Amino acid sequence: PHQKTISIMVTFTAVFTIAILSIVLSDRVIIKPDSTHPFVGAKLTDDPRGNNKQTTTNLWRLRGSPSTYKRVNDWALSMKLSSSEFGFKPYADNSSVSITTRGFCTTKYCDTYYAFQFGDQYITFMVDNYGYSIYPQCGGHVADGYASVLIQKINNKNDEYESDNEALKAALAGGDVNNWHRIDNTENDGVFPVTIKLINNYLEGTF
């Protein structure tokens, strides 16, 4: 993908609070809850549960599903990056964009999910206690569709999975938890910062 608006969506699963201090884009743009930037739009999505909030101390406070009655119904935080500033460059090799999330969680373990949307295609990442995973797997094609609606599809209870967390994992990996591809087995005990860097090589046709 190149020169398309990049949408970044983030959600978390944890019984207790995760706080995001800031998000750093390509090592040069720092976005905080009270930031305004001409090429970046960041906002909390509507949360009927009232769990996701911007605090008076200028943090994004995000919560996952504490019970089946207050399940995650959408991405907690979404960002839209202008293609003119952050889009992959055509006819170039190693055009890249990175996102670094700085924050903390109040429990030892808290799973983090990211989605990167490029037009009508997307990829998702999962950071859990066992390492880092990606969908679709490396070496394949990016997924077709819109990541923005994936979580909305699990609003109704899916009896195929024993927990909301498993249902969320399935929804973000093409409908099957086994579609996640582990790319790093480094144990992650809810440690921040987390950095994801995407590199697009237009000349070689790799991403």
Side-chain angles (χ1 to χ4, degrees):
H2 60 86
Q3 290 299 343
K4 293 182 178 179
T5 298
I6 300 174
S7 296
I8 299 174
M9 289 150 282
V10 184
T11 194
F12 297 85
T13 61
V15 174
F16 297 101
T17 303
I18 299 173
I20 295 181
L21 306 173
S22 65
I23 295 175
V24 183
L25 302 169
S26 296
D27 298 323
R28 56 190 173 87
V29 176
I30 300 176
I31 302 297
K32 297 182 179 181
D34 62 354
S35 296
T36 56
H37 191 280
F39 300 110
V40 180
K43 66 176 183 178
L44 293 172
T45 56
D46 293 333
D47 180 16
R49 306 168 307 159
N51 289 338
N52 301 327
K53 298 179 179 180
Q54 179 177 333
T55 71
T56 56
T57 55
N58 201 31
L59 301 173
W60 281 304
R61 191 196 74 176
L62 313 178
R63 289 190 67 176
S65 295
S67 74
T68 56
Y69 301 103
K70 292 185 177 181
R71 59 167 31 96
V72 172
N73 73 311
D74 203 349
W75 293 95
L77 177 66
S78 66
M79 300 182 67
K80 183 173 287 187
L81 281 58
S82 169
S83 59
S84 62
E85 185 73 8
F86 296 98
F88 298 116
K89 308 303 180 185
Y91 311 110
D93 58 355
N94 295 335
S95 177
S96 66
V97 61
S98 66
I99 172 175
T100 298
T101 306
R102 296 174 175 170
F104 60 90
C105 56
T106 60
T107 54
K108 184 177 181 180
Y109 308 115
C110 48
D111 297 347
T112 314
Y113 299 89
Y114 298 82
F116 292 81
Q117 181 84 44
F118 315 93
D120 57 358
Q121 297 177 310
Y122 70 91
I123 57 175
T124 53
F125 288 90
M126 174 176 64
V127 183
D128 61 13
N129 184 48
Y130 304 103
Y132 300 77
S133 301
I134 186 174
Y135 171 80
Q137 70 176 9
C138 297
H141 298 284
V142 292
D144 293 323
Y146 296 92
S148 58
V149 301
L150 295 178
I151 296 179
Q152 298 171 12
K153 294 180 179 180
I154 61 171
N155 281 344
N156 297 321
K157 182 65 177 178
N158 186 341
D159 294 331
E160 181 181 355
Y161 297 101
E162 295 180 356
S163 69
D164 288 349
N165 195 14
E166 290 299 299
L168 180 61
K169 288 180 180 181
L172 300 185
D176 190 334
V177 294
N178 296 311
N179 287 339
W180 285 107
H181 177 66
R182 186 73 66 181
I183 56 177
D184 189 305
N185 291 316
T186 303
E187 185 172 340
N188 173 53
D189 293 340
V191 176
F192 287 89
V194 172
T195 298
I196 296 174
K197 185 175 184 178
L198 306 177
I199 302 174
N200 186 57
N201 191 315
Y202 185 96
L203 300 179
E204 295 183 2
T206 59
F207 177 71

